Amino acid sequence: MTQAAAALARIRLEALGCERCPLYRNATQTVFGEGPVPASVMLVGEQPGDREDIEGHPFVGPAGRVLDKALAAAGFDRTDVYVTNAVKHFKNEPRGKRRLHKRLTAGEIDVCKVWLESEIKLVRPKAIVALGASAARALLGRPAGIEALRGKTLAFGEAQSLFVTIHPSLLLRMPDRASREEGFERFVQDLARVVSAIRSSETRKASRRVTLRNSAQPAGFSVR
């Protein structure tokens, strides 16, 4: 285990007892991020859903299955991606045996940001993908319109890129099959842009390394 992975494991344990806001009261447990450390790509959702809250893992419910399908279609292997949420507890309102999902407030997003910032620092992703408005709000520090930012590559941090797209649960709420299929294809395109951006970045870095190596060779010496 690397030092960064060990540090993140300690932070995960600390987060399990988080009571920084009242959301823990109706939640089963903290749902922390999962994936390789470091990872080239970090996906940031909004909050755990009912299934995630019960199982303790991010994106394992219906929206997670949509996400897995879209990642595969875009050329990702989910095991290579770090997946987390902006808020680590499931915000819900108990109604008999059911728990109804509730929208996050800006204050709840902001108070939970300490965990997300730690994840970004230790995972060191080259690209971060905000899935939904709450995730974009957590990362940008301000309200953000999804449609205004989709398809754009935003500078984030010192050497990272930020991409904004929908949360996969939106596709499940679309009223008809045609809308869902169209929405899914566009979602895949958003994720494919991330793959393309990372590959382009890696190609540029490899090219710079070759240029630097060649420039360091004595005159009359060639690399074969």
Side-chain angles (χ1 to χ4, degrees):
M1 181 181 288
T2 65
Q3 289 185 342
L8 192 60
R10 290 192 294 270
I11 291 171
R12 179 182 286 107
L13 287 175
E14 183 181 349
L16 292 179
C18 182
E19 297 181 0
R20 295 171 64 88
C21 77
L23 294 186
Y24 76 93
R25 294 173 183 165
N26 286 340
T28 304
Q29 59 190 313
T30 301
V31 181
F32 206 75
E34 295 180 347
V37 181
S40 294
V41 178
M42 174 184 284
L43 303 181
V44 182
E46 299 185 322
Q47 63 169 310
D50 182 73
R51 194 75 248 159
E52 289 80 7
D53 177 67
I54 293 170
E55 297 189 21
H57 303 287
F59 285 98
V60 293
R65 290 191 289 273
V66 174
L67 177 62
D68 287 348
K69 183 179 177 182
L71 287 172
F76 278 109
D77 183 337
R78 175 161 170 172
T79 60
D80 294 332
V81 176
Y82 188 91
V83 182
T84 190
N85 283 297
V87 171
K88 310 306 187 195
H89 283 119
F90 176 35
K91 183 177 182 180
N92 66 91
E93 180 180 336
R95 291 280 183 88
K97 294 182 178 180
R98 299 177 60 199
R99 296 186 299 172
L100 302 182
H101 175 280
K102 295 194 69 177
R103 186 183 298 274
L104 296 167
T105 67
E108 289 161 347
I109 294 169
D110 291 343
V111 78
C112 204
K113 193 172 181 178
V114 61
W115 306 119
L116 181 59
E117 289 175 339
S118 296
E119 289 174 299
I120 293 171
K121 178 180 178 180
L122 293 168
V123 175
R124 304 194 309 278
K126 297 175 183 176
I128 302 173
V129 183
L131 303 172
S134 293
R137 167 74 172 74
L139 291 160
L140 293 171
R142 57 177 173 79
I146 300 300
E147 289 304 316
L149 297 177
R150 286 185 84 170
K152 297 181 179 180
T153 303
L154 308 175
F156 186 86
E158 295 181 358
Q160 294 159 324
S161 297
L162 173 64
F163 300 83
V164 177
T165 185
I166 61 168
H167 192 282
S169 64
L170 176 63
L171 299 173
L172 299 173
R173 299 194 298 271
M174 289 182 173
D176 57 77
R177 181 175 179 178
S179 297
R180 290 192 294 271
E181 289 180 349
E182 181 181 351
F184 179 79
E185 288 303 318
R186 192 176 175 202
F187 184 42
V188 171
Q189 290 171 9
D190 288 342
L191 297 175
R193 288 190 187 95
V194 181
V195 176
S196 178
I198 290 174
R199 288 175 178 168
S200 296
S201 176
E202 290 174 347
T203 299
R204 288 194 299 270
K205 288 180 180 179
S207 178
R208 284 197 294 270
R209 285 195 295 268
V210 171
T211 300
L212 290 171
R213 187 167 65 245
N214 289 344
S215 65
Q217 301 298 334
F221 186 88
S222 60
V223 178
R224 302 193 179 190

